Amino acid sequence: MTDRTVIDLFCGAGGLSEGFRQAGYHVLAGNDFFDAAGATFVATHPEARFLPGPIQDHSVQSILKVAGLKRGELNVLVGGPPCQGFSVYNHQRGLHDARSSLYHEYLRVVAGLKPQWVVLENVTGMTSAGGGGAVTGIVEGLGALGYNVSAKILRAEEYGVPQERRRLVFIGNRIGVPIEFPKPTHGVNLEPFVTIEDAISDLPRLKNGEGYEVSSYETSPTSSYQKAMRNGQNGVTNHAAAKLSKVNLDRLHHIPQGGSWRDIPIDLLPEGMKKAKRSDHTKRYGRLTWKGLASTILTKCDPHWGAYFHPDQDRTLTVREAARLQSFPDSFEFKGSRTEQYVQVGNAVPPLLGRAIAERILQMTNSVGYLEAAE
């Protein structure tokens, strides 16, 4: 019996599998249809095989062959089916969106691989889209395959991620182990939240539109988080600032740390926002504050979407800064165009959240001696 093995479906750049790897798992394979994400996964998971293209194109037998496993031997199957169909940012969301039915493919692979554990994550909007039909479908579908499943919304910041981020996580197993979710490590009466300052203040300063393929750190780490993210690296990649237009720079000059569009003179606001209520669009054109948490990192750090201006530099966040705020180590070099890099970072599960889930699964299995019995 093979233990501590993981296969990652809809893996993207590999945030979830990176978390499991940090917890001591062996990543055997990953699949995604997004070529740039696949290139990142290949570069950052040299021990794993990458299966390109839609999951529909891959039979269970081909996945087993690539992973070198027999049915029932895989320890954990993880995955996050594309979430745009459920996202609160998709105002036409619902089960009619073709992307919303990809969890059926996850169930197909579960039925064929018969892993001991399953982990599936998605945006919280899945609980309401289509009347929560996808959540019911996943729980009932896995139940029909012999899995006991629980679902819970986890807050990434409670596990050391310097960002306000909510994810719906399903955990299940077919080996009779009671399911428990990872206990928060950060928050009230716990470790303090990791701030933006803790996360990115050591990265090289940049002007608007400035950046290089590889940058040296220039300063020593000032927090344990920065030291962990560097993990022995000599410098950073993906650290280039997008070039803001003159009107956006003019707007930005009026915005203090923690400020937003409300601080911009009305004559400088975009036409569509000049008549907005003060209670609307609360984080648009927001400037982050060193002592706070980041807003949810989305698939582009567009100031019209939220608070993505650097705390004290007149520019938006770089891909590297967004990756740091997602808890990706600096060893991850994101491939593809800059637009594709932002998409990979924004779609990812924060590795530290993945690690907390992986470590909890290990604790649950060890508590009943299952892993020892399997050896």
Side-chain angles (χ1 to χ4, degrees):
M1 182 75 72
T2 304
D3 63 18
R4 296 197 185 185
T5 54
V6 62
I7 291 176
D8 191 354
L9 302 185
F10 313 101
C11 63
L16 189 51
S17 55
E18 171 62 16
F20 270 75
R21 182 167 60 182
Q22 291 180 12
Y25 281 81
H26 302 287
V27 184
L28 301 181
N31 160 260
D32 204 278
F33 74 98
F34 184 17
D35 290 341
T40 300
F41 184 90
V42 168
T44 55
H45 294 72
E47 76 284 12
R49 292 286 299 276
F50 180 68
L51 302 170
I55 187 60
Q56 297 94 317
D57 293 349
H58 298 281
S59 69
V60 168
Q61 285 303 317
S62 67
I63 297 172
L64 287 171
K65 183 177 180 180
V66 162
L69 296 175
K70 295 179 182 178
R71 186 170 187 254
E73 286 186 337
L74 179 65
N75 189 211
V76 189
L77 179 69
V78 304
C83 59
Q84 290 89 343
F86 304 118
S87 173
V88 295
Y89 297 97
N90 174 10
H91 300 293
Q92 307 299 322
R93 66 198 178 105
L95 292 180
H96 62 274
D97 191 312
R99 295 166 296 191
S100 302
S101 62
L102 283 171
Y103 72 87
H104 290 296
E105 288 297 314
Y106 183 89
L107 294 176
R108 173 181 69 87
V109 177
V110 170
L113 296 185
K114 203 176 180 183
Q116 296 143 23
W117 289 85
V118 293
V119 175
L120 193 149
E121 64 78 33
N122 215 297
V123 292
T124 58
M126 180 183 264
T127 61
S128 56
V135 173
T136 300
I138 289 169
V139 173
E140 292 183 350
L142 287 170
L145 296 174
Y147 290 83
N148 177 35
V149 184
S150 292
K152 186 177 182 178
I153 293 174
L154 300 182
R155 299 158 59 101
E157 62 268 33
E158 294 184 339
Y159 302 96
V161 179
Q163 174 196 169
E164 294 177 344
R165 193 179 188 91
R166 312 285 180 269
R167 300 299 286 190
L168 176 64
V169 176
F170 299 81
I171 299 177
N173 70 72
R174 60 172 180 81
I175 57 179
V177 177
I179 296 170
E180 298 177 0
F181 286 83
K183 292 180 173 62
T185 54
H186 294 67
V188 179
N189 299 321
L190 299 169
E191 292 291 320
F193 289 126
V194 178
T195 67
I196 293 172
E197 183 174 34
D198 295 330
I200 68 171
S201 64
D202 65 318
L203 293 174
R205 294 184 66 86
L206 296 174
K207 296 178 182 178
N208 178 46
E210 183 182 18
Y212 308 94
E213 290 296 320
V214 180
S215 302
S216 60
Y217 286 115
E218 298 179 0
T219 64
S220 299
T222 60
S223 69
S224 57
Y225 185 89
Q226 292 172 10
K227 186 175 181 180
M229 292 299 104
R230 292 188 182 195
N231 193 28
Q233 294 291 111
N234 295 319
V236 290
T237 57
N238 306 119
H239 189 50
K243 189 170 181 60
L244 292 171
S245 64
K246 182 181 182 304
V247 67
N248 272 329
L249 281 175
D250 291 342
R251 292 163 180 160
L252 182 51
H253 292 159
H254 294 278
I255 305 170
Q257 280 193 42
S260 68
W261 69 278
R262 295 177 186 81
D263 299 291
I264 301 172
I266 291 179
D267 62 305
L268 282 178
L269 284 173
E271 285 301 319
M273 295 181 66
K274 288 182 177 179
K275 295 182 180 180
K277 296 179 181 178
R278 305 296 285 181
S279 59
D280 288 346
H281 317 298
T282 53
K283 292 187 177 182
R284 282 188 174 184
Y285 290 88
R287 191 190 282 270
L288 298 169
T289 177
W290 280 127
K291 300 299 182 182
L293 293 166
S295 303
T296 302
I297 299 298
L298 301 176
T299 53
K300 58 181 177 178
C301 291
D302 186 329
H304 199 67
W305 283 23
Y308 300 113
F309 285 133
H310 190 280
D312 66 10
Q313 298 170 42
D314 287 342
R315 59 176 179 79
T316 53
L317 294 176
T318 67
V319 171
R320 177 55 54 197
E321 288 164 339
R324 279 277 190 98
L325 297 171
Q326 276 276 60
S327 74
F328 274 102
D330 293 351
S331 57
F332 264 71
E333 181 177 353
F334 296 90
K335 306 296 185 179
S337 68
R338 189 181 301 171
T339 297
E340 291 171 329
Q341 293 166 16
Y342 278 115
V343 169
Q344 292 170 59
V345 174
N347 278 337
V349 177
L352 284 183
L353 179 58
R355 179 173 180 168
I357 294 167
E359 290 175 343
R360 192 67 184 130
I361 289 175
L362 286 176
Q363 291 167 358
M364 287 186 282
T365 52
N366 283 327
S367 69
V368 294
Y370 179 78
L371 283 181
E372 289 79 1
E375 292 175 348

